[in-house]
Amino acid sequence: MVDFNCKKCGSCCHEYPFASEINFKRIPVFPSELEPLEAHADKHNIDVKFLEDVIVPDMVNEKIIVITYRIILDGENGSCPFYGRKIGCTVDAFKPLACKAYPLAQKRVDAFTRSIEIDPYCCFIEENELKVKNMDENILKEYFKKEFHNSMRLMERNKKIMLKLRMLASRGKIAYPSEVKGEKYDKWLKQWERVYIDML
Ligand code: SF4
Ligand code: SF4
């Protein structure tokens, strides 16, 4: 197996060709990553939109806890608005952690557990015909040094967030419903104030 060497093809910065309303690319942005990205976009006149993605309704305080946003991939040919043709990512200094970890991605095992997987849609992976399923963590670490490190940071961050939510819930400071859909949920989304998990 060869060391990972990004081909700068930009495929990871574009929407899937087969994207649909329910199956689309989610590039997560933590609230702490949002501000520098927005400031950069304002300064350089980049039209970028972020949508709330992972959120938790808190029924004790009647607030929506925002865990992550996602970047709307509505640039040229479904690209991330920060993507520049031939130059690639134009926000290297503020790149979201998830982008720094790519092509390693977090796979959700259950509500509180994730594993690290290789995204088979990365051009490097396709070109080198790498077997991506169930690759040993030590091999991942060796071939994707930087990306593995960032992937672990991402995993740690997610873990800390989940632990914080559980701790707050166990102390009765917040409470989240077991199911988050339906009319009631839509009403909360419209009416409740937003808070970031870092503020709690
Ligand atoms: S922030 Fe940069 S690396 Fe991430 S999707 Fe956008 S252009 Fe690509
Ligand atoms: S898809 Fe893979 S090879 Fe292409 S730019 Fe993204 S990380 Fe690099």
Side-chain angles (χ1 to χ4, degrees):
M1 191 162 131
V2 277
D3 278 4
F4 175 60
N5 176 15
C6 174
K7 302 272 155 208
K8 310 254 182 255
C9 64
S11 157
C12 54
C13 307
H14 286 73
E15 186 51 272
Y16 296 128
F18 51 81
S20 68
E21 253 178 52
I22 47 163
N23 190 8
F24 50 83
K25 200 174 275 187
R26 301 169 101 157
I27 299 173
V29 174
F30 289 103
S32 58
E33 296 174 323
L34 186 72
E35 210 178 292
L37 285 172
E38 283 184 326
H40 178 86
D42 276 354
K43 190 169 165 197
H44 297 276
N45 235 347
I46 299 169
D47 183 17
V48 61
K49 293 170 218 67
F50 300 92
L51 271 193
E52 290 169 355
D53 194 21
V54 180
I55 53 174
V56 177
D58 167 17
M59 295 180 301
V60 172
N61 303 292
E62 301 199 339
K63 287 186 178 163
I64 301 287
I65 305 170
V66 182
I67 312 287
T68 54
Y69 292 87
R70 66 182 171 89
I71 304 177
I72 300 299
L73 303 178
D74 61 356
E76 197 184 348
N77 300 320
S79 70
C80 167
F82 293 120
Y83 178 76
R85 202 147 33 111
K86 294 193 181 147
I87 36 175
C89 181
T90 58
V91 282
D92 248 0
F94 320 109
K95 211 188 249 192
L97 194 48
C99 297
K100 288 182 183 159
Y102 193 84
L104 302 185
Q106 318 265 309
K107 189 180 165 207
R108 200 180 149 118
V109 179
D110 60 44
F112 294 98
T113 326
R114 279 152 208 257
S115 65
I116 298 178
E117 299 245 317
I118 307 175
D119 186 342
Y121 298 111
C122 165
C123 303
F124 176 86
I125 308 296
E126 278 181 338
E127 266 177 36
N128 289 279
E129 295 176 357
L130 297 186
K131 293 212 168 34
V132 294
K133 286 252 178 262
N134 305 322
M135 197 179 276
D136 186 88
E137 219 172 71
N138 288 321
I139 300 179
L140 280 181
K141 208 185 287 180
E142 199 177 324
Y143 293 106
F144 299 90
K145 290 185 180 69
K146 261 192 319 182
E147 295 73 23
F148 187 84
H149 171 71
N150 286 322
S151 198
M152 290 307 285
R153 286 175 60 209
L154 187 57
M155 184 104 90
E156 271 309 302
R157 195 178 280 193
N158 281 325
K159 221 185 266 174
K160 271 191 190 157
I161 290 171
M162 289 304 148
L163 285 175
K164 189 167 183 181
L165 285 174
R166 275 171 142 177
M167 185 267 288
L168 290 168
S170 71
R171 292 182 184 169
K173 299 212 181 283
I174 63 167
Y176 35 83
S178 51
E179 210 185 27
V180 281
K181 56 182 179 195
E183 264 176 48
K184 201 154 73 172
Y185 179 56
D186 292 341
K187 201 169 124 202
W188 296 343
L189 275 183
K190 277 194 201 117
Q191 298 179 346
W192 288 0
E193 192 193 324
R194 269 49 178 171
V195 280
Y196 296 152
I197 183 76
D198 297 348
M199 294 159 69
L200 301 175

